[in-house]
Amino acid sequence: MNPLRLDSFDVFASIIRCGGFRAAALERGVSSSALSQTMNALEEALGIRLLNRTTRSVSPTEAGQRLLERLSPALRDIRRAIAEIDELRDSPSGTLRINAPAPAVDHVLCPLAFDFMDAYPDVKIEIISDAAVIDIVERGFDAGVRFGKQLAQDMIALPLGPPLRYVIVASPDYIERHGEPQAPQDLVGHDCIRRRFPGGTLVTWRFIEGGEDIEIAPEGRLTVSSAQNELQAALAGRGIAHVFDDYARTHIQAGRLVELLSDWSSALPHWFLYYPNRRLPSAAMRAFLDFMRSYDWQARR
């Protein structure tokens, strides 16, 4: 057997986790050809093929899958050992990888991360915007952000940012042409801008006033997949939108949008940042958690 380079195993795990050479190369800051050469050398040294490669996808062979299952705990132990050494430094360092939906990234996570980076210049942060439910440990993330507290039992969840609030908005031009709904039932017949989750389901609109709770499946000509596009359509007079207050607030204040059915709006749960409880967080992650707990969210609004 030819000599083995231990870092080749980390490259192999990165390619599987990222789903291909190009994504892994971007994550590691090297070229795809360099990773391909590393994998060729590893497979030659082991005398067995580890990856099935096509022009569109990369997947582990049976041997590769078995190797990955044994490697993953060892690689996590190595990263944990490095993190423990990092604790001996005067200031935390390393890279934090966080997975979060776009609205949380736009209005909560980015402002927090920017200020954290000013306070801890040796820490790098990688934020991946993704609304899909994933295994953050398997995908190599230190933490994730999701709406509500319905998370796996082996996760620690902390509230992130202020309570959330949905608003119903439309442009003054749309209201002039179609009228203003006075109750949620009046939305029937209006051109509502619908939004579809990554899993395929459509977002429903929920209203609460007093003891009355109403949920509506909006109807309309336009369906989008992001809150930014929904807001863009409302600003263009294409219909009524249902977005977080964070997206619409400045446009409402400037008169570009009008809030509708405000009496039916209610506060929602926070975003939650979650991370595994079965491993000790790195010094950088602990510093980030402490920074988050003491962060002044009202000063950022």
Side-chain angles (χ1 to χ4, degrees):
M1 180 183 293
N2 295 331
L4 292 172
R5 290 176 54 93
L6 293 181
D7 59 340
S8 299
F9 294 111
D10 191 42
V11 168
F12 165 64
S14 295
I15 293 169
I16 299 301
R17 184 181 70 247
C18 295
F21 284 86
R22 179 175 297 180
L26 288 172
E27 177 185 273
R28 302 176 71 87
V30 298
S31 66
S32 298
S33 60
L35 295 192
S36 180
Q37 292 172 8
T38 298
M39 279 307 306
N40 289 338
L42 178 60
E43 289 177 326
E44 183 177 347
L46 293 174
I48 193 168
R49 186 159 53 89
L50 301 175
L51 295 176
N52 292 315
R53 302 171 174 88
T54 70
T55 56
R56 294 188 176 182
S57 65
V58 174
S59 62
T61 63
E62 181 181 356
Q65 185 61 43
R66 290 189 182 185
L67 179 62
L68 183 65
E69 291 171 358
R70 297 298 297 271
L71 277 179
S72 295
L75 292 173
R76 285 198 293 270
D77 287 342
I78 291 171
R79 295 189 187 98
R80 188 180 301 118
I82 293 173
E84 290 173 357
I85 293 173
D86 181 52
E87 294 176 7
L88 301 177
R89 295 167 50 92
D90 293 333
S91 177
S93 65
T95 301
L96 293 179
R97 301 185 71 241
I98 304 175
N99 180 285
V105 173
D106 291 341
H107 302 294
V108 178
L109 194 54
C110 273
L112 175 66
F114 298 160
D115 289 345
F116 175 79
M117 293 171 71
D118 288 338
Y120 294 90
D122 293 331
V123 177
K124 300 177 182 178
I125 297 184
E126 180 178 351
I127 298 173
I128 303 299
S129 179
D130 184 2
V133 177
I134 66 165
D135 184 332
I136 60 171
V137 175
E138 181 182 347
R139 298 283 293 274
F141 289 98
D142 296 283
V145 176
R146 287 298 177 266
F147 178 66
K149 207 175 179 178
Q150 301 302 315
L151 302 168
Q153 293 183 352
D154 60 347
M155 294 289 167
I156 297 173
L158 299 174
L160 176 65
L164 301 169
R165 177 175 172 264
Y166 273 113
V167 293
I168 305 298
V169 294
S171 69
D173 176 63
Y174 177 89
I175 294 172
E176 184 179 343
R177 287 184 285 114
H178 299 281
E180 179 176 344
Q182 301 300 313
Q185 296 87 340
D186 296 340
L187 291 171
V188 177
H190 272 278
D191 209 355
C192 297
I193 303 161
R194 307 192 303 172
R195 180 154 41 94
R196 192 179 296 278
F197 287 124
T201 59
L202 288 165
V203 176
T204 57
W205 298 6
R206 187 183 180 195
F207 302 91
I208 299 176
E209 201 277 329
E212 192 172 2
D213 191 332
I214 298 175
E215 191 167 350
I216 289 178
E219 293 293 334
R221 296 172 58 202
L222 179 63
T223 302
V224 296
S225 62
S226 77
Q228 288 281 17
N229 294 147
E230 189 175 351
L231 181 70
Q232 183 181 8
L235 288 166
R238 297 299 177 183
I240 297 176
H242 169 266
V243 294
F244 282 128
D245 173 59
D246 287 321
Y247 281 108
R249 187 184 309 118
T250 57
H251 297 292
I252 294 172
Q253 292 169 350
R256 292 185 291 269
L257 291 175
V258 176
E259 182 178 356
L260 309 173
L261 305 175
S262 58
D263 291 341
W264 291 82
S265 180
S266 62
L268 300 170
H270 299 263
W271 292 109
F272 280 87
L273 181 135
Y274 65 99
Y275 60 97
N277 68 8
R278 62 176 178 268
R279 70 182 188 200
L280 293 174
S282 66
M285 184 64 186
R286 285 204 302 274
F288 185 79
L289 294 173
D290 290 341
F291 190 84
M292 185 184 79
R293 290 187 182 100
S294 61
Y295 196 68
D296 186 357
W297 293 104
Q298 291 303 319
R300 295 291 313 190
R301 294 177 72 85

